[in-house]
Amino acid sequence: MSTNRGGREIVTLPNLDAVSHEAAERFVSLASAAIGQSGRFTVALAGGSTPERLYKLLAASPYRERVRWNAVHLFFGDERTVPPDDAQSNYRMAKRSLLDAVPEAHVYRMEGEREPHEAAASYDTVLREQFVGQNPPRFDLILLGMGPDGHTASLFPHTDALDVTATFVVANYVAKMDTWRLTLTYPVLNAAAQVLFLVGGADKAPAVREVVQGASNCSEYPSQGVLPSDGTVTFLLDPAAAAQVV
Ligand code: 6PG
């Protein structure tokens, strides 16, 4: 079932497997269109656990053969401040589930092992180099997840990164976890042609409700602040995550 709420496409699917297949179909379709139009397909990958199923689908038949991986440029929406071989690394999750299966793709890793502010500045430069003349960079697709607190990428409630507009990437201190994170900022998320949230589980239902139909409150529910000015944002939900959307 698909509806539009305040400029957000809301699609509820039977389960997370169906969410992952829908996301894979959209990935393939968007890739074909982007490569046909500009010769490349630029994607920011989501971290966390939900997208892993999608990445494994894309890494295998039939989806793998439906993408021209040598024209695909894979970036990251955020990263933990850990080395790339750490169990907490978003890069490590993507590498094991997708990147190792598509070596033809161009991959731009956030360097979680570096001093966070240096790593953020370095990735900001990477984006300026890869999206020449685009301020902010316009990704063809940004994949996102959402936490039970409504955070997305590493834009957490009441953190400084929510107010950053001068850079495309920022080091964000998350007090409740006592850790630094690297994250794309709102200007980049909202410049995307297509943003695709993959969200599952009952623990996220309250935040989904607030994001799609609650009062405007991005500092409390940062996912609410993702609303591309010239693009589409779609929430692919399982029934549990969609349960409180009326
Ligand atoms: C991260 C992600 C984060 C994630 C949500 C949902 O680095 O953790 O970027 O925004 O998407 O926390 O995570 P799950 O998919 O594991 O529920």
Side-chain angles (χ1 to χ4, degrees), residues 46-47 76-80 90 110 142-177 179-191 195 197 207 211 217-227:
F76 287 81
D78 75 320
E79 187 56 278
R80 291 83 179 276
N90 287 336
M110 286 184 175
I142 295 181
L143 294 168
L144 291 174
M146 193 184 78
D149 61 357
H151 82 262
T152 191
S154 283
L155 299 173
F156 283 82
H158 308 296
T159 57
D160 292 346
L162 301 183
D163 299 317
V164 173
T165 56
T167 59
F168 305 147
V169 190
V170 72
N172 191 30
Y173 181 68
V174 186
K176 73 177 179 182
M177 298 190 293
T179 188
W180 286 89
R181 289 284 192 94
L182 303 173
T183 187
L184 297 182
T185 54
Y186 277 134
V188 178
L189 302 184
N190 286 325
V195 176
F197 278 90
V211 167
N217 193 354
C218 297
S219 59
E220 187 69 31
Y221 298 100
S223 295
Q224 199 181 63
V226 180
L227 207 53

Side-chain angles (χ1 to χ4, degrees), residues 74-121:
L74 297 171
F75 300 80
F76 287 81
D78 75 320
E79 187 56 278
R80 291 83 179 276
T81 47
V82 295
D85 58 355
D86 187 288
Q88 287 298 312
S89 166
N90 287 336
Y91 171 80
R92 178 179 180 267
M93 183 274 283
K95 184 176 188 306
R96 290 157 65 107
S97 56
L98 175 60
L99 306 184
D100 284 345
V102 290
E104 315 91 323
H106 309 266
V107 179
Y108 308 85
R109 183 176 69 86
M110 286 184 175
E111 296 168 295
E113 69 278 18
R114 288 179 62 182
E115 192 283 322
H117 296 84
E118 290 178 8

